[in-house]
Amino acid sequence: MNSYATNPMSKTTTIVREGESCEVTCINPSKVRSLARSLPRTSAVERISSTFQTMSDPSRLKILYCVSQGDVCVCDLSAVLGMNVSAVSHQLRLLRTLNLVKPRRDGRIVYYSLSDEHVGELMRMGLEHELES
Amino acid sequence: MNSYATNPMSKTTTIVREGESCEVTCINPSKVRSLARSLPRTSAVERISSTFQTMSDPSRLKILYCVSQGDVCVCDLSAVLGMNVSAVSHQLRLLRTLNLVKPRRDGRIVYYSLSDEHVGELMRMGLEHELES
DNA sequence: GGATTAGTTGCATAACTGTTCAAATATTAA
DNA sequence: TTAATATTTGAACAGTTATGCAACTAATCC
């Protein structure tokens, strides 16, 4: 095979990554090829992970919880969460940009509500598991 | 009421936040009290959000996907993902610390597999939604 | 217009994070 | 023991991010 002091376990095989073929060294070629075929491409994984990232901050997750229960204004969110009004507004802007919440103005007051049901589902699932463990 | 030029919408009420009672100014006292009652406490929210944070990185999410399909060694993960072996190992250590993956040594080779079914569920849900949209 | 309230935004900053490089450890076989 | 391989680890770095402050806009009522 070769003249090294130990037998390397590694072999080489060809896989397709992000649409382009490339040769890689690995231990289990068939497993690697199988994974390379089924792994969603980076663009899709990035979209999913960014959804999770939105829910990865405690303050933001609390905000999402509140607005999932119905319309809540900035001032009330600030009161419930014990957060600076400015901090709440910054987070709401982020959520607005991602189309996860939608604002409704009533005079000086702006009410926010959850507009993405998928995020609501993931949040409920996370909550359920946490409370039962 | 008062002698200001405009009528403020804000009122004050008392809620319980993280176990301690505090007076807050808000627009809708009853809504605020209701949210304050149902909002899980910070320690629980932090645990949930840290689960989401784990899945908020594309590389880590790919690793989790791979090890959810069966045992995979570091070298093969590196090959499939096109990542530095060291980077993969760093991420695996993090996942190990969180008890999300478990290692199994076979000689020089260490195989990792998913050990937290809840994370697997959340990942599948995220994937399903992404692929259908 | 003028004064007050509700909310937004830009900037600065401190904290965190993912990756790489280099060095170390663990295992195997000659 | 020696050499090679598979993985781990520590340190450093670049990039990101959540928050607070101050200044701003938007809306209301006199």
Side-chain angles (χ1 to χ4, degrees):
Chain A
M1 295 284 244
N2 60 42
S3 58
Y4 293 128
T6 60
N7 293 330
M9 299 281 103
S10 62
K11 304 170 173 52
T12 75
T13 187
T14 304
I15 61 175
V16 177
R17 240 174 12 206
E18 306 302 321
E20 62 177 277
S21 175
C22 56
E23 187 157 307
V24 296
T25 79
C26 64
I27 307 286
N28 309 283
S30 72
K31 196 182 284 192
V32 165
R33 284 192 299 268
S34 165
L35 283 172
R37 271 193 302 270
S38 71
L39 181 71
R41 52 178 55 211
T42 297
S43 57
V45 174
E46 279 174 348
R47 279 192 295 274
I48 305 170
S49 62
S50 76
T51 297
F52 287 130
Q53 190 181 24
T54 304
M55 299 187 281
S56 73
D57 179 72
S59 304
R60 214 152 44 214
L61 194 54
K62 286 182 190 172
I63 291 175
L64 286 170
Y65 172 83
C66 290
V67 298
S68 79
Q69 304 293 103
D71 285 15
V72 195
C73 68
V74 180
C75 173
D76 287 359
L77 283 170
S78 166
V80 172
L81 308 181
M83 278 176 76
N84 200 319
V85 170
S86 171
V88 171
S89 187
H90 275 298
Q91 298 293 5
L92 284 170
R93 175 168 58 164
L94 198 152
L95 298 174
R96 226 187 307 129
T97 302
L98 298 171
N99 286 311
L100 301 184
V101 301
K102 57 170 186 292
R104 173 179 63 82
R105 178 150 226 144
D106 180 12
R108 284 177 293 211
I109 302 172
V110 180
Y111 289 93
Y112 283 90
S113 59
L114 190 67
S115 62
D116 185 303
E117 202 33 57
H118 177 237
V119 165
E121 258 183 77
L122 288 171
M123 189 174 55
R124 263 190 302 280
M125 250 187 92
L127 269 166
E128 274 173 35
H129 182 267
E130 172 58 33
L131 300 179
E132 85 191 13
S133 65
Chain B
M1 296 280 245
N2 58 43
S3 58
Y4 292 128
T6 60
N7 293 330
M9 298 283 103
S10 61
K11 304 171 173 51
T12 74
T13 188
T14 304
I15 61 175
V16 178
R17 239 171 16 204
E18 307 303 321
E20 63 177 274
S21 174
C22 55
E23 186 158 305
V24 296
T25 79
C26 63
I27 307 286
N28 309 283
S30 72
K31 197 182 282 191
V32 165
R33 283 193 298 269
S34 164
L35 283 172
R37 270 194 302 270
S38 70
L39 181 72
R41 52 178 56 211
T42 296
S43 57
V45 174
E46 278 173 349
R47 279 192 294 273
I48 305 170
S49 62
S50 76
T51 297
F52 287 130
Q53 190 182 24
T54 304
M55 299 188 281
S56 73
D57 179 70
S59 306
R60 214 151 45 214
L61 195 53
K62 287 181 188 172
I63 291 175
L64 286 170
Y65 173 83
C66 290
V67 299
S68 79
Q69 305 292 106
D71 284 16
V72 194
C73 68
V74 181
C75 173
D76 288 359
L77 284 170
S78 166
V80 172
L81 308 181
M83 278 175 75
N84 200 317
V85 170
S86 173
V88 171
S89 187
H90 275 297
Q91 297 294 7
L92 284 169
R93 176 170 54 165
L94 197 152
L95 298 174
R96 226 188 308 129
T97 302
L98 297 170
N99 287 311
L100 302 185
V101 301
K102 58 171 186 289
R104 174 179 62 82
R105 179 151 227 141
D106 181 13
R108 283 177 294 212
I109 303 172
V110 180
Y111 289 93
Y112 283 90
S113 59
L114 190 66
S115 62
D116 184 304
E117 201 33 57
H118 177 238
V119 165
E121 258 184 77
L122 288 171
M123 188 174 56
R124 264 191 300 278
M125 250 187 93
L127 270 165
E128 274 173 33
H129 182 266
E130 171 59 33
L131 300 178
E132 84 193 14
S133 67

